[in-house]
Amino acid sequence: MKANLIFLSLILFSTACSLQEDVIIIDSAKLHTLAMQEARIPIKQGIPNESPFWNINSTRFIYAPAFDFAEIKGADSYFFKVVTEPDENIFTFSAAKPWTSLSEIWDSLPIGYINLTVTGINEIGDSLDIAGERRFYRAAIFNGPYQKPVMNYKESARKGLEFLFNSSFLQKWKTNNLPDPEYSLYCYPSKMVVSVIHGMLFYSEIEPDNANEAITIARNAADYLIGISEPEGSPLEYFPPTYDLSHIDATKEYKNDIDAKWAIIHCKEFENQIMLIYPASVADAYLDLYNTCGNKKYYNAALKIAETYKKLQGEDAQWSLLVDTKSGRATSKNFANPRSILSLMHRLENEFKMIPFDINEDKIESLIKDKMSIFDFEGQFEDQQPSKQYMNLANGPAIETAGYYFDLVEEDSSNMAIAESFLRFAEDQFVIWSNPIPEPRPGESSNDWLFFPCALEQYQCYTPIDAHAVSFASIFMKAWRVTGKEIYLAKAISLANAVTISQNTETGMYPTWWNKEDIHSYGWINCGFHDAEIMYELGEELSTLNIQYKNE
């Protein structure tokens, strides 16, 4: 009997320990200390004449930066002097090279603008020339979690989807295979119409009562895209257009649509050009629709897009970013980020058992690796001009690359450090935990930004966007799953909570723009669908966790 009691006690003790292990403690004070320690560690530094400095156009930093300052002839060391604004406090240190990071004094610097001067010093201590000067903003490090959520994440997602489903610019697809002319952003069909397909298929899964209507909307949207795609035999055959103003009145003033004017201007500028990052996502939507309804025309449409990609691939294994529909010639020197194209090819091969397309994947992966190794995270958006290297960095390619390497950790643990370095870059440049930079870009102000934490999109649109907050929440959750570091979980929760706070509690609308002037605009529906899908997934995962908060 005694042995049985001892055995029972061991079982109970083991169970208690197991339950205790399932508890996740979010200790805000501990995490803030950890965040301060991590902020001292520079993100990948350049080396003059060897490796480029990615931050030549950066204006703010969470992690201690280093800059591309030239060595001074005769200098034996370099004197670093920092003067803060507006208090004019002074911080100094010396280093052997002018491109040394500011790690040594980073903890001491307050949030705010910093004026850095680096001067060459000779062996007897005399000052020589200035090696470099830089003014930038010392950004706030993570000190969360911050506000509590306004509603459950899954409920937030349902309300967001309900708003979109009931909107006129979705409902019109039920009876008309044409986009609603009152919604100007359908002028980017390969981005906006395809979001209707993805969004309605997802909505049909979580709201069975409305599934038939949602699938009808998705099919009509897909049929429209197929109908307006490039004709057979043309240089870009079967590719849907990136720009199309045929459904709207370009002379009209659109109410509650602050993006209309810029969209119309841009579509006219890039008329008869296709941005090659988008047809792959359209094909992916067609495959989802085929899986749902079984109509093979959607599978065939996706396959034709993949075949055209094969035809358009250059001898160097790359695809041009912008291509003229009439001539098939590139209209910019930039190359398309090939990740979505590779994803399409892999899906056709793995899920649909297609014979692999001969697209020289090894060469493509090598090119991607080379580009990412120097942090060349070029923002590629249909409503922005292609840019030169480091002129328009964006969080999307960095997050995508971080996720790619996190997925490879199981087969090679060294990929964890690579993934975290890309995620640190993305956070450094595009996440604002608090105290936003007053002047994000020359002539711009953050005075009317509404919700924090938040995430900025790209240098050419350095402003808080809803979809980027949820994208960061998603990648931080993945980082937590792979690394087990609670700080990533806390960061994901902090951003997701902010999304619920930004959401209109009455209508369910997720505002695209987190500023006072544009908060009530319909915004970009692709962002709203993205918000809902990620928030629902976060809600599903977090409901399985036992999280306790300390130092609230």
Side-chain angles (χ1 to χ4, degrees):
M1 182 67 176
K2 185 177 181 182
N4 288 339
L5 288 173
I6 292 173
F7 181 67
L8 179 60
S9 297
L10 288 172
I11 292 176
L12 292 173
F13 177 75
S14 176
T15 302
C17 289
S18 176
L19 289 173
Q20 186 62 34
E21 288 175 355
D22 290 338
V23 175
I24 301 168
I25 305 296
I26 303 294
D27 185 333
S28 58
K30 180 180 176 181
L31 294 182
H32 182 59
T33 299
L34 176 61
M36 290 182 65
Q37 294 169 354
E38 291 180 343
R40 299 183 197 124
I41 304 171
I43 297 169
K44 178 182 173 64
Q45 292 183 229
I47 301 175
N49 303 317
E50 291 185 28
S51 178
F53 285 74
W54 56 264
N55 62 15
I56 56 175
N57 295 298
S58 306
T59 57
R60 59 177 292 276
F61 302 95
I62 293 174
Y63 297 95
F67 300 110
D68 188 9
F69 294 159
E71 292 188 79
I72 301 298
K73 184 177 181 179
D76 186 62
S77 64
Y78 293 87
F79 181 70
F80 287 68
K81 180 181 178 181
V82 162
V83 180
T84 64
E85 293 182 20
D87 299 332
E88 296 189 350
N89 292 319
I90 297 175
F91 302 83
T92 63
F93 71 98
S94 295
K97 298 293 183 181
W99 61 83
T100 300
S101 81
L102 302 184
S103 300
E104 185 172 332
I105 60 171
W106 196 242
D107 281 354
S108 303
L109 302 183
I111 296 171
Y113 280 109
I114 299 295
N115 291 283
L116 169 67
T117 304
V118 179
T119 306
I121 306 295
N122 64 19
E123 60 182 4
I124 62 173
D126 292 334
S127 295
L128 303 176
D129 290 338
I130 292 176
E133 297 177 294
R134 188 74 174 257
R135 180 178 183 263
F136 61 90
Y137 189 77
R138 202 276 196 220
I141 64 172
F142 178 72
N143 192 18
Y146 299 84
Q147 308 99 319
K148 293 182 179 180
V150 171
M151 69 179 85
N152 174 278
Y153 293 170
K154 288 175 68 173
E155 179 62 22
S156 168
R158 290 181 188 277
K159 292 194 70 158
L161 286 168
E162 200 71 35
F163 168 79
L164 291 166
F165 175 72
N166 290 323
S167 66
S168 63
F169 34 86
L170 265 291
Q171 285 294 307
K172 282 188 185 275
W173 287 107
K174 287 197 304 186
T175 55
N176 192 344
N177 285 30
L178 294 172
D180 182 358
E182 292 300 315
Y183 185 65
S184 69
L185 291 180
Y186 281 138
C187 68
Y188 302 128
S190 288
K191 186 169 190 172
M192 306 307 290
V193 179
V194 79
S195 74
V196 172
I197 303 171
H198 280 304
M200 286 296 94
L201 291 179
F202 179 66
Y203 182 61
S204 72
E205 293 176 7
I206 68 171
E207 289 293 348
D209 290 345
N210 291 326
N212 290 336
E213 290 183 62
I215 293 171
T216 296
I217 290 172
R219 293 188 63 167
N220 286 348
D223 291 344
Y224 170 75
L225 280 177
I226 292 172
I228 64 171
S229 293
E230 290 296 299
E232 182 179 358
S234 62
L236 277 65
E237 59 180 356
Y238 310 119
F239 274 12
T242 307
Y243 310 96
D244 181 16
L245 286 171
S246 62
H247 80 289
I248 63 174
D249 181 356
T251 65
K252 177 181 175 180
E253 183 177 347
Y254 283 82
K255 298 178 181 179
N256 205 28
D257 191 347
I258 57 98
D259 300 289
K261 184 177 181 180
W262 172 245
I264 291 169
I265 292 172
H266 206 77
C267 285
K268 288 180 178 178
E269 181 181 3
F270 288 90
E271 188 177 14
N272 298 321
Q273 297 180 59
I274 289 180
M275 189 170 276
L276 264 58
I277 59 174
Y278 288 113
S281 64
V282 175
D284 190 57
Y286 290 161
L287 292 175
D288 287 344
L289 190 54
Y290 168 67
N291 283 342
T292 298
C293 68
N295 191 323
K296 201 155 188 179
K297 75 175 178 180
Y298 302 119
Y299 169 79
N300 291 334
L303 188 59
K304 289 175 179 178
I305 287 174
E307 290 170 343
T308 299
Y309 270 121
K310 170 57 185 165
K311 295 175 187 176
L312 292 174
Q313 189 178 30
E315 293 182 3
D316 56 0
Q318 301 195 79
W319 289 273
S320 297
L321 178 59
L322 274 170
V323 177
D324 181 77
T325 58
K326 296 178 181 178
S327 67
R329 296 192 185 97
T331 57
S332 81
K333 296 180 180 180
N334 302 58
F335 293 106
N337 181 347
R339 187 59 70 192
S340 63
I341 304 171
L342 285 180
S343 178
L344 171 63
M345 301 301 187
H346 289 161
R347 186 177 183 189
L348 286 168
E349 177 184 348
N350 299 328
E351 183 179 339
F352 296 94
K353 310 306 177 187
M354 279 292 305
I355 297 173
F357 285 84
D358 181 18
I359 57 170
N360 198 352
E361 186 172 337
D362 289 342
K363 175 65 172 177
I364 298 171
E365 289 289 359
S366 177
L367 291 168
I368 293 175
K369 187 175 181 180
D370 289 345
K371 190 177 177 73
M372 298 302 101
S373 69
I374 58 171
F375 283 41
D376 187 6
F377 297 111
E378 176 193 354
Q380 296 184 345
F381 296 87
E382 75 295 323
D383 62 343
Q384 297 290 340
Q385 289 276 0
S387 62
K388 295 181 180 179
Q389 188 180 54
Y390 301 132
M391 286 293 293
N392 186 34
L393 296 179
N395 72 66
I399 287 176
E400 178 183 70
T401 307
Y404 174 80
Y405 279 99
F406 276 131
D407 287 338
L408 297 177
V409 167
E410 189 172 342
E411 58 186 67
D412 184 351
S413 60
S414 67
N415 287 316
M416 186 180 296
I418 298 172
E420 288 188 279
S421 71
F422 294 137
L423 181 51
R424 293 176 80 242
F425 158 81
E427 178 192 358
D428 181 70
Q429 289 300 292
F430 300 101
V431 175
I432 291 181
W433 297 116
S434 65
N435 304 86
I437 177 173
E439 190 178 35
R441 287 287 175 239
E444 299 177 0
S445 172
S446 64
N447 287 338
D448 66 345
W449 293 0
L450 292 173
F451 310 110
F452 302 99
C454 64
L456 314 180
E457 183 180 68
Q458 55 176 314
Y459 284 0
Q460 290 181 2
C461 183
Y462 215 44
T463 192
I465 304 291
D466 61 329
H468 296 282
V470 297
S471 291
F472 270 104
S474 180
I475 190 63
F476 281 133
M477 280 297 289
K478 174 174 277 194
W480 170 72
R481 286 194 297 270
V482 174
T483 68
K485 297 177 181 178
E486 285 86 359
I487 193 167
Y488 288 134
L489 177 60
K491 288 177 178 180
I493 291 171
S494 297
L495 285 160
N497 288 354
V499 172
T500 70
I501 293 168
S502 74
Q503 188 176 18
N504 187 312
T505 55
E506 293 183 8
T507 67
M509 184 184 81
Y510 290 113
T512 300
W513 306 95
W514 285 11
N515 60 61
K516 292 176 184 176
E517 182 179 358
D518 306 323
I519 190 68
H520 300 297
S521 167
Y522 291 145
W524 294 65
I525 60 173
N526 63 311
C527 292
F529 282 123
H530 181 65
D531 294 347
E533 185 169 353
I534 298 300
M535 292 297 286
Y536 193 88
E537 292 172 356
L538 291 174
E540 288 269 86
E541 183 167 6
L542 288 172
S543 67
T544 67
L545 304 178
N546 184 359
I547 302 175
Q548 296 181 9
Y549 296 89
K550 186 178 179 182
N551 300 322
E552 279 194 322

